[in-house]
Amino acid sequence: MPAAKKVKTLPKADVEAIFNRFHEIEPEPKGELDYSNAFTLLVAVVLSAQATDVGVNKATKHLFALATTPEQMVALGVERITELVKTIGLYRGKAKNVFTLSQMLIDLHGGQVPDDRESLEALPGVGRKTANVVLNIWFKQPAIAVDTHLFRVGNRTGLAPGKTPLAVELTLLKVIPQQYMLHAHHWLILHGRYVCKARKPECWRCAIAEWCRFEPKTPAPNKPLPKHVS
């Protein structure tokens, strides 16, 4: 992950204005992974590491048709899970993690997904980012999962300049107004994925450009001139 450039942190009023704008545009933002319960959400997020949500959804469509509980997943076995998720990058290690974490959920948590970060991070394939996604989406806790998109947005905009994902996460938890905390994770990730893109941010259509610290702003692409009609 690239080192953060030195950007001044936005004032409190600007931070509130940004999240108010996000809320006006999409009051109830949703993630793009398919799931039906806490377990399938956990599995989907584990599989999504270094993979696209679209690619994960294609694989889990078949996986979740056969297993939506830890018990059913263990019954499939590592080889069958591996076969079902082989279209995803790093699929062998991920399949093993899914099998093992399913067994651990049965042995340690009565087949239920725990609602605390420490227990989640004790599961194979589950780091802080994955734990935060599950805590935020399923358990409605004010957690921020900093992926490459959110890290970029935090630094570019001035919302949370930081050299590490953890630094960005901790700053966001301090500056985001409480009333926007639950959905902040999705607003920022989706903004980074579709507007504040890595190579060329689309500043000309950015809803929060007036408060963003990124300079110079990317101009709108030149539109081709209409063909002369005689």
Side-chain angles (χ1 to χ4, degrees):
M1 192 170 288
K5 294 181 180 179
K6 289 186 178 180
V7 177
K8 290 184 178 180
T9 304
L10 292 173
K12 182 178 180 180
D14 288 1
V15 174
E16 186 158 0
I18 284 174
F19 285 98
N20 183 60
R21 179 63 56 81
F22 282 144
H23 180 266
E24 288 176 346
I25 296 170
E26 181 54 76
E28 299 285 337
K30 304 294 182 184
E32 297 179 319
L33 286 174
D34 294 335
Y35 62 93
S36 60
N37 56 28
F39 175 69
T40 53
L41 172 62
L42 175 61
V43 170
V45 180
V46 167
L47 293 174
S48 72
Q50 299 181 50
T52 66
D53 289 354
V54 172
V56 172
N57 289 339
K58 287 180 179 178
T60 56
K61 178 181 179 180
H62 303 290
L63 179 64
F64 294 159
L66 300 174
T68 58
T69 67
E71 293 81 4
Q72 292 171 343
M73 196 67 73
V74 169
L76 283 181
V78 175
E79 290 186 8
R80 184 68 173 126
I81 297 171
T82 301
E83 179 66 23
L84 290 165
V85 302
K86 66 181 182 180
T87 56
I88 302 174
L90 307 174
Y91 69 96
R92 293 187 186 279
K94 291 178 180 179
K96 185 176 180 180
N97 285 338
V98 167
F99 175 83
T100 307
L101 73 81
S102 299
Q103 188 64 63
M104 288 178 67
L105 289 176
I106 296 168
D107 295 341
L108 303 177
H109 303 285
Q112 301 299 309
V113 175
D115 62 357
D116 66 280
R117 182 181 287 107
E118 183 178 1
S119 297
L120 285 169
E121 289 188 25
L123 300 171
V126 180
R128 185 180 182 89
K129 182 175 71 175
T130 296
N132 281 347
V133 173
V134 175
L135 292 173
N136 178 255
I137 295 178
W138 190 260
F139 295 107
K140 308 302 181 185
Q141 295 184 21
I144 304 289
V146 180
D147 67 353
T148 55
H149 300 298
L150 205 150
F151 183 82
R152 180 172 63 253
V153 172
N155 277 287
R156 270 185 181 166
T157 60
L159 276 169
K163 293 183 179 180
T164 66
L166 181 59
V168 171
E169 176 190 336
L170 295 179
T171 299
L172 287 171
L173 290 173
K174 291 179 182 178
V175 304
I176 296 172
Q178 192 60 40
Q179 67 267 33
Y180 300 122
M181 187 63 75
L182 181 61
H183 295 309
H185 163 81
H186 280 128
W187 282 324
L188 294 173
I189 287 179
L190 293 173
H191 186 68
R193 184 175 291 168
Y194 295 111
V195 180
C196 195
K197 299 176 181 179
R199 293 187 178 181
K200 193 173 184 180
E202 299 179 0
C203 303
W204 69 89
R205 67 181 192 91
C206 175
I208 62 169
E210 62 190 281
W211 303 288
C212 173
R213 297 280 193 186
F214 179 74
E215 295 293 346
K217 297 288 193 292
T218 309
N222 293 324
K223 294 182 179 180
L225 295 174
K227 292 182 178 181
H228 177 70
V229 179
S230 57

